[in-house]
Amino acid sequence: MNESKTMEQTSPRSRARIAGAIYLITFVTGGFALFIGGSLGTAAGLVAGVSYVAVTLFFYFIFKPVNKIVSLLAAAISLVGCANGPLRLLHVVPFDVHSLVFFGFYCLLIGYLIFRSTFLPKFLGVFMAISGLGWLTFLSSSLANSLSPYVYAPGIFGEGVLTLWLVFVGVNEEKWRKQSGLES
């Protein structure tokens, strides 16, 4: 059975709650990597990266009914950001851009998709947009360094609220089905 078919057979609420759980893993391992460093931090960073790839794929399917093109663009940007981290460690990136810049654009797009959706509250979209703006401060490493550690607060807050919402509530399945044209 192909993965796309399996994903489509999973209920939207379950899909969202699984995405939230994986997002939580991303948070824990990413935070560990950020503040611990060393080989354990690198390993945690790789786990966070792989987890974020999974979140990205889940989000693509969750938000595809809102706008397929924007959802695909968001996924592409996130996947580039996920690849950028390990490639920077190996010093093989063609451009020196902090991965959080990609996640800034990703969060802005996800915020837009949430705001346009009918199955999640609009305030989550606003929080994700604020997260995205926070991550975009990493366009200037000197600005990000001067604002550190406070520069992480908008992203942690916005993405954290969305993560907890997805884990504990998920999406409004009836509204998701209606927006996707699959009314139950």
Side-chain angles (χ1 to χ4, degrees):
M1 181 176 286
N2 81 34
E3 291 175 28
S4 178
K5 200 71 162 164
T6 303
M7 183 70 81
E8 289 172 9
Q9 291 173 344
T10 306
S11 80
R13 179 170 286 136
S14 294
R15 215 178 297 161
R17 294 182 90 184
I18 292 167
I22 297 170
Y23 217 164
L24 189 57
I25 292 167
T26 304
F27 256 90
V28 171
T29 56
F32 187 80
L34 186 63
F35 296 110
I36 300 302
S39 57
L40 247 80
T42 300
L46 291 173
V47 171
V50 169
S51 298
Y52 211 87
V53 167
V55 168
T56 298
L57 297 175
F58 272 96
F59 276 16
Y60 169 72
F61 284 101
I62 291 168
F63 294 110
K64 191 166 77 165
V66 178
N67 187 313
K68 186 177 182 177
I69 293 170
V70 174
S71 187
L72 184 61
L73 177 62
I77 290 171
S78 179
L79 293 175
V80 169
C82 289
N84 187 60
L87 292 176
R88 279 185 77 192
L89 288 174
L90 299 171
H91 307 288
V92 295
V93 292
F95 40 81
D96 190 25
V97 177
H98 198 290
S99 295
L100 288 175
V101 171
F102 294 101
F103 299 131
F105 288 112
Y106 177 66
C107 287
L108 285 172
L109 291 171
I110 293 299
Y112 168 79
L113 290 167
I114 291 170
F115 198 79
R116 294 294 312 264
S117 79
T118 57
F119 48 84
L120 284 169
K122 295 196 182 309
F123 76 86
L124 293 173
V126 173
F127 287 167
M128 283 300 283
I130 292 169
S131 294
L133 294 173
W135 295 138
L136 288 179
T137 59
F138 283 85
L139 280 165
S140 166
S141 56
S142 61
L143 176 62
N145 287 336
S146 69
L147 295 173
S148 187
Y150 309 107
V151 70
Y152 297 101
I156 291 170
F157 177 75
E159 290 189 74
V161 170
L162 177 59
T163 298
L164 294 175
W165 185 276
L166 292 174
V167 167
F168 293 108
V169 179
V171 298
N172 181 317
E173 196 161 332
E174 182 180 322
K175 289 182 178 181
W176 186 92
R177 289 187 185 285
K178 185 174 183 180
Q179 191 161 16
S180 67
L182 303 172
E183 295 203 42
S184 50

